[in-house]
Amino acid sequence: MKKKLLGTLLSAAMVMSLLAGCGGAAADTAADTATAAVEEATDTAADAAEDAAAEVVEDTEAAADAVEEAAADAGSSDGGLISIGFAQVGHESDWRTASTKSCQDVFSEANGYDLSFVDCDNDEAAQKEAVRSFIEQGVDYIIIDPIIATGWDTVLTECEDAGIPVIVIDRTIDDSDKYVSWVGSNFLTEGKAAGEWLKAYAEKQGISEINALVISGSTGASAQIGRSDGFKEIADREGWTILDEQTGDFTEAGGQEVMESYCKSYEGKFNVVVCQNDNEAFGAMTAMDNAGVAYGPGNDVILISFDACTAGLEDVKAGKISADFECNPLAAPFVEQVIQQLQAGTTPDKEVYMEEHWYALPDQIVDFSIDGAAQTMTEVTDDVIAAQY
Ligand code: GYE
C-alpha cells in the first residue's frame, strides 16, 4: 500500500538525517576527547573516542538498512499498488458481466490497483471462503457483492478484526453493518416501479384484471427480495392475483425452465409475466415462443423485465418486452471514490445509490409515481441502446 510505504520511507529518511546531525556532533566530541587523550597521553580517552565513532557508524548503517528494506518492499511485494479482493457473485447474467468488467477496468494496475478477483459461481460458501482468503492475503480492501443478504456477521467481524475495510457493492447485506460503505440500487423501488407502471398501463389499455406470473431472481438475494416485495406491495393494493412466483436464479436457462412449467400449469390463465432480470426474460420468451403464447405490446401477455441491458432494450425496441426497469451495474467508479476517500482519511457515505431509468416504447410510456414521486420514462431508441451496458 502506497501510503504505508511512503510513511516508512519518510521516517527512515528522518532517522538518517537526525543521525547525520548526531554523527557530526559525536565526531566533534570524539575528536576533542581524543585530542585531550593524546595531550594527557591516557589510553582511556582514546578508547572512548573509538567507541563513540563506532556507535555512530553502526546507527547510520542501521538507518541505511531500513531505507533499503522499505525501498525493496515498494519494489517487490505490490509495487506500491492498492490491493483489493473482490468476491463477485458469479457470471449468471449480462448485468453481472458488465459489473465484473466495470470493476476490472477501474481497479486495473494502470490505475494503481492490484485486484484479486474471485467469481463465486453463485455459491454462498465459496464466497465466504473467498473473503477469508483475502484476509489471509492481507489485502488493503475487500469488495463483496453478497449472493444472499444474510449470514454475514461472522466473516465481516473477521475482516474488522484484521483491520481490512469492506465495501459492499450491488446487493445488500441485511444482518450486519460491519462494512464501510454500500454502493448499489434500490431494488424495492425497482419492484414498485414495475407495479406502478403496470397499474397505469393496464388502465390505459382498459385491462381490469391482472393475473401475474413472477419468475424471481436467486432466492434470498436482496435484488430478488426488493423486486418481489415492491411489486407485491402494488399488487396487494390493487387486488391483483399473483398466480405463482418461482425462481429462475437470474439465468436464461432458469427463466426458460420456469416458464415452460408455467405455460403448462397456467395455460390461458395469465396476462402478465414479470421476470426479475433480462436473462430470465430471454429464457421465458423462448418458452412462450415454443408454447405458442404471444407476448409484448398488442398481445395477450404483458412481459415486464429488469436490468435493461443492451439485449433487453433491443427486445423492448422489437416489441417483445413491454417495459424494462433498469438496474445500473457500472458502480465501480463510485466504489473507487469510496476507496480514495478512505485513503485520504475521510469518511465516505454509508450508502451510495446508482441512478437508473425506466424504459419503454412511446405507446407504453405512461405517467406514474412511486410513493408520491412522479417518474419519467425513457423511450428506447437506437442511440439509447447503443449507449447502454
Ligand atoms: O439484476 C441480475 C444479476 O444483483 C442486481 O443480479 C443484481 C442482479 C441483476 O444476476 O441480472
Side-chain angles (χ1 to χ4, degrees):
M1 180 174 170
K2 275 180 187 160
K3 218 172 58 180
K4 279 187 198 155
L5 283 172
L6 197 65
T8 314
L9 280 165
L10 281 174
S11 29
M14 278 165 69
V15 167
M16 272 199 82
S17 68
L18 277 173
L19 281 171
C22 280
D28 286 353
T29 315
D32 288 353
T33 315
T35 309
V38 171
E39 276 171 4
E40 289 169 25
T42 64
D43 289 347
T44 325
D47 284 353
E50 232 171 72
D51 283 355
E55 212 172 286
V56 169
V57 168
E58 221 170 77
D59 286 349
T60 311
E61 273 172 3
D65 282 353
V67 172
E68 225 171 76
E69 215 173 275
D73 252 7
S76 65
S77 66
D78 61 7
L81 302 173
I82 296 173
S83 58
I84 297 180
F86 176 26
Q88 173 64 293
V89 169
H91 49 272
E92 71 283 359
S93 64
D94 289 26
W95 191 100
R96 190 64 52 202
T97 304
S99 157
T100 294
K101 185 173 183 308
S102 170
C103 281
Q104 287 172 340
D105 287 351
V106 169
F107 299 114
S108 64
E109 253 187 64
N111 289 344
Y113 300 96
D114 174 15
L115 178 67
S116 301
F117 175 83
V118 177
D119 174 335
C120 301
D121 202 14
N122 219 26
D123 178 337
E124 297 158 42
Q127 192 167 41
K128 307 264 162 45
E129 251 171 58
V131 172
R132 292 193 167 104
S133 78
F134 296 149
I135 296 175
E136 256 169 51
Q137 282 173 48
V139 296
D140 297 322
Y141 298 96
I142 293 176
I143 303 174
I144 303 172
D145 190 330
I147 294 169
I148 61 160
T150 50
W152 283 99
D153 204 55
T154 305
V155 73
L156 289 192
T157 304
E158 290 166 31
C159 295
E160 196 177 69
D161 291 348
I164 304 175
V166 171
I167 298 139
V168 180
I169 188 172
D170 170 32
R171 301 181 184 174
T172 55
I173 285 177
D174 295 349
D175 63 353
S176 175
D177 65 354
K178 295 191 180 103
Y179 55 87
V180 178
S181 220
W182 163 84
V183 182
S185 304
N186 192 325
F187 307 117
L188 187 69
T189 300
E190 292 173 1
K192 286 182 187 182
E196 297 288 14
W197 170 83
L198 179 59
K199 176 189 181 283
Y201 181 62
E203 263 168 29
K204 183 183 166 193
Q205 296 292 302
I207 299 167
S208 55
E209 210 182 302
I210 299 287
N211 292 300
L213 286 168
V214 177
I215 303 180
S216 54
S218 305
T219 308
S222 71
Q224 174 273 311
I225 297 168
R227 289 170 191 167
S228 293
D229 289 355
F231 184 76
K232 190 172 179 306
E233 186 181 314
I234 313 306
D236 288 349
R237 189 192 70 203
E238 297 301 319
W240 299 337
T241 304
I242 295 181
L243 294 164
D244 210 340
E245 172 162 345
Q246 285 178 32
T247 182
D249 248 335
F250 284 131
T251 64
E252 180 165 351
Q256 181 170 343
E257 196 182 317
V258 173
M259 197 65 225
E260 275 164 2
S261 103
Y262 280 168
C263 284
K264 286 182 199 136
S265 315
Y266 301 99
E267 195 187 343
K269 293 185 183 134
F270 61 95
N271 61 352
V272 173
V273 174
V274 181
C275 295
Q276 284 185 356
N277 79 347
D278 286 334
N279 293 80
E280 289 182 342
F282 306 150
M285 286 190 273
T286 306
M288 287 192 279
D289 288 342
N290 293 340
V293 175
Y295 50 87
N299 291 310
D300 289 345
V301 173
I302 297 167
L303 178 58
I304 295 172
S305 186
F306 293 89
D307 280 1
C309 64
T310 304
L313 290 189
E314 278 165 355
D315 284 334
V316 175
K317 182 96 196 310
K320 295 175 173 179
I321 295 174
S322 301
D324 206 340
F325 297 85
E326 186 180 36
C327 185
N328 188 340
L330 310 179
F334 301 93
V335 175
E336 186 185 29
Q337 273 176 24
V338 169
I339 288 175
Q340 289 304 335
Q341 283 166 338
L342 292 170
Q343 287 288 104
T346 54
T347 309
D349 289 339
K350 185 86 186 186
E351 293 181 338
V352 180
Y353 284 94
M354 301 295 294
E355 196 193 315
E356 23 226 8
H357 300 90
W358 320 135
Y359 292 100
L361 287 178
D363 283 350
Q364 282 67 54
I365 291 184
V366 287
D367 290 335
F368 67 93
S369 52
I370 302 170
D371 299 326
Q375 305 293 303
T376 311
M377 294 190 75
T378 305
E379 179 187 342
V380 177
T381 62
D382 288 334
D383 285 349
V384 164
I385 294 173
Q388 199 63 351
Y389 68 89

